[in-house]
Amino acid sequence: MKTALIVLAAGQGTRMKSDLPKVLHPLGQAPLFAHAVLSGQALDPDRVVLVTGHGSDAVAKAAEKLGLDADIALQAEQLGTGHAVLQAEPALEGFGGDAVVLYGDTPFISGETLAGMADARRAGHDVVILGFEAADPGRYGRLVMQGDALARIVEFKDATDEERKLTLCNSGVVMADAATLFDLCKALSPDNASGEFYLTDIVGQARARGLSATAVTCDEAETLGINTRAELARAEAMFQAKARAAALENGVALMAPDTVHFAFDTQLGRDAVVEPNVVFAPGVTVETGAKIRAFSHLEGAHVSAGAVVGPYARLRPGAELGNGAKVGNFVEIKNAELGEGAKVNHLSYVGDASVGAAANVGAGTVTCNYNGVEKFRTEIGARAFIGSDTMLVAPVRVGDEAMTASGSVITRDVPDGALALGRTEQDIRPGAARRLMQMYKRAKAKRQKG
Ligand code: UD1
Ligand code: CA
């Protein structure tokens, strides 16, 4: 059975009080809508259609940047959830299989829940709705059940007092055969309290046509939708709590879990150790047994087994640390590979570079990679020793087992095994320091008198 995801993401989200469309606000450092697409991956979808409206171009760009491989269906005017779903029809022309409707502002629907809905479809139900028992049903649509069958969904605004007492509510997630879903949506009318094409009305439509409908339920926490910045902040706390719990469950040691911040795609291996106050931005993988020490910030980085990062280190995109490599305090690594056992322990910048296995980069070393216009690479060979405070003016190569003297400015390649000295020779003037001091003191005394 093929599956297509239809993610509704056209709304502006007025209550966010933001110039940014709601679905582009970040949760776990991914735009909100991406979480719905990622949940949907549990169904191994063949197609993904994003229904966009407000900020459509920006949403499309964000989807591309994340490699989501989604088609964009523009809903120029937001005429309701049923109308929104229908906009996905042209993109799914020729597609045969199930469609799953998700909301771009509802990030926590679990893969297991979606799998449960797919089971209900396989059991023969034509339309499957995801419902939940609401602690406070508020303005949610209500599910009107007839035994195990779902008779219809009534929106709060259109509900009678009796119907408003129902606590089984509509999450918005719908699963049905795609062609059937579009057919049902075409029959919708905006003849209701909001004057909108309600997706929820497809249930009544389906039943009238002799099709079956049922509801699968999930925990209310999964259906949390984001409408305000306060809700987004709460969702972020929930996201972080879940990510921390999952890391612990997978065998990661978190010394102070509440102080470690995860991104949506952070991958930490078994027996990795994370000290307090570490931030993972997107694209980080830490292999088994690696240690991320306190106050480090990692983004787009791969840390191999047994490597140590920090305290106070920054790994930027393209940082690739080999097994047992060490990156110490106040060191920044960008777009650079460190070979097995290589060390950059103190106060250094290594960017656009490769550092060979077991090389040692001394304190205060800088790869001078940028001339203000272009960037250039630095290569450091295996077992090379870079003296403290070496400026490596790229493009430049320091060979295997080569050395640079402390304080050198290296502008030319250093052959394998060679020593490069790039600093002025030391000059000793006996007694000159004391004489200089006396001279300064006399000058100060003279000024104070006069
Ligand atoms: C909807 C459901 C309601 C359910 C609730 C759960 C309908 C008619 N009602 O109500 O039963 O309890 O969600 O949160 O479906 N959207 C578009 N284009 C549109 C309209 C909406 O893309 O024309 C998107 C919105 O951006 C949002 C989602 O669809 O992400 C839901 O729309 P919203 O207007 O918030 O629906 P509710 O009134 O909350
Ligand atoms: Ca809503």
Side-chain angles (χ1 to χ4, degrees):
M1 170 66 86
K2 290 197 167 190
T3 305
L5 304 181
I6 300 174
V7 178
L8 306 191
Q12 164 65 36
T14 320
R15 285 193 283 157
M16 293 297 283
K17 299 193 178 145
S18 172
D19 293 337
L20 195 65
K22 177 164 75 176
V23 294
L24 288 179
H25 283 260
L27 175 71
Q29 302 188 56
L32 203 44
F33 76 88
H35 291 266
V37 180
L38 294 172
S39 309
Q41 295 308 305
L43 298 170
D44 194 16
D46 301 277
R47 303 285 301 275
V48 177
V49 183
L50 287 174
V51 179
T52 61
H54 289 276
S56 178
D57 290 347
V59 175
K61 216 176 270 172
E64 199 182 323
K65 198 171 151 208
L66 285 166
L68 293 181
D69 194 22
D71 290 313
I72 303 296
L74 183 68
Q75 186 194 27
E77 255 188 298
Q78 281 72 62
L79 304 178
T81 47
H83 178 259
V85 168
L86 210 43
Q87 308 314 302
E89 190 185 29
L92 290 177
E93 191 176 347
F95 170 83
D98 262 14
V100 184
V101 179
L102 296 164
Y103 289 173
D105 65 355
T106 305
F108 294 125
I109 305 288
S110 75
E112 296 85 78
T113 293
L114 294 176
M117 292 179 75
D119 288 344
R121 278 281 298 137
R122 272 191 291 274
H125 296 286
D126 296 306
V127 175
V128 180
I129 298 287
L130 182 63
F132 63 101
E133 277 296 338
D136 170 15
R139 303 182 65 79
Y140 286 118
R142 307 297 207 266
L143 303 191
V144 182
M145 303 297 293
Q146 279 172 341
D148 281 346
L150 177 60
R152 59 195 185 90
I153 303 177
V154 59
E155 287 304 297
F156 176 81
K157 277 191 189 171
D158 304 280
T160 62
D161 286 347
E162 210 49 38
E163 287 166 333
R164 286 181 181 182
K165 285 185 192 144
L166 295 170
T167 53
L168 184 60
C169 292
N170 175 32
S171 70
V173 183
V174 176
M175 203 178 289
D177 168 73
T180 308
L181 176 68
F182 294 134
D183 258 9
L184 291 168
C185 285
K186 281 174 198 163
L188 297 175
S189 98
D191 183 15
N192 52 52
S194 304
E196 288 182 4
F197 295 91
Y198 289 162
L199 175 61
T200 44
D201 284 347
I202 64 165
V203 173
Q205 287 283 346
R207 293 304 301 273
R209 294 183 191 187
L211 298 174
S212 70
T214 193
V216 163
T217 57
C218 69
D219 202 83
E220 182 168 9
E222 287 187 34
T223 69
L224 180 85
I226 314 294
N227 297 298
T228 64
R229 291 192 185 259
E231 284 169 359
L232 181 61
R234 243 189 299 143
E236 182 68 35
M238 277 174 66
F239 172 86
Q240 294 299 337
K242 290 210 299 190
R244 290 163 189 149
L248 292 166
E249 178 62 29
N250 292 336
V252 176
L254 300 179
M255 290 172 61
D258 289 351
T259 68
V260 177
H261 292 263
F262 287 82
F264 68 102
D265 61 350
T266 305
Q267 304 253 9
L268 304 181
R270 183 188 169 102
D271 286 320
V273 176
V274 183
E275 290 188 355
N277 297 296
V278 169
V279 176
F280 294 104
V284 174
T285 303
V286 175
E287 306 275 2
T288 177
K291 188 168 192 172
I292 312 300
R293 304 201 57 198
F295 296 98
S296 294
H297 188 286
L298 292 78
E299 176 175 11
H302 176 225
V303 179
S304 296
V308 180
V309 175
Y312 299 97
R314 178 161 185 213
L315 301 188
R316 290 174 52 205
E320 170 72 47
L321 274 51
N323 289 339
K326 286 204 171 124
V327 171
N329 37 264
F330 307 106
V331 170
E332 174 178 339
I333 308 284
K334 183 215 72 167
N335 186 31
E337 306 94 54
L338 267 54
E340 186 166 342
K343 292 180 191 163
V344 188
N345 273 335
H346 331 270
L347 300 158
S348 292
Y349 171 68
V350 175
D352 302 315
S354 66
V355 178
N360 190 315
V361 176
T365 294
V366 174
T367 55
C368 310
N369 59 331
Y370 185 47
N371 65 7
V373 180
E374 279 187 280
K375 299 212 168 125
F376 302 94
R377 285 190 68 83
T378 300
E379 280 175 49
I380 297 172
R383 298 171 302 283
F385 183 95
I386 306 299
S388 295
D389 191 35
T390 296
M391 297 294 120
L392 296 156
V393 182
V396 74
R397 176 172 193 279
V398 177
D400 292 349
E401 282 148 39
M403 285 175 93
T404 67
S406 299
S408 289
V409 178
I410 303 297
T411 55
R412 285 179 288 142
D413 287 357
V414 183
D416 290 354
L419 166 67
L421 284 124
R423 61 188 189 203
T424 54
E425 213 173 322
Q426 186 168 309
D427 179 21
I428 295 285
R429 301 178 187 188
R434 289 196 184 111
R435 286 198 298 276
L436 206 57
M437 251 336 149
Q438 279 158 8
M439 200 177 91
Y440 293 157
K441 283 176 182 162
R442 280 197 300 273
K444 185 179 175 189
K446 202 171 153 194
R447 255 202 321 277
Q448 281 170 347
K449 251 200 210 155

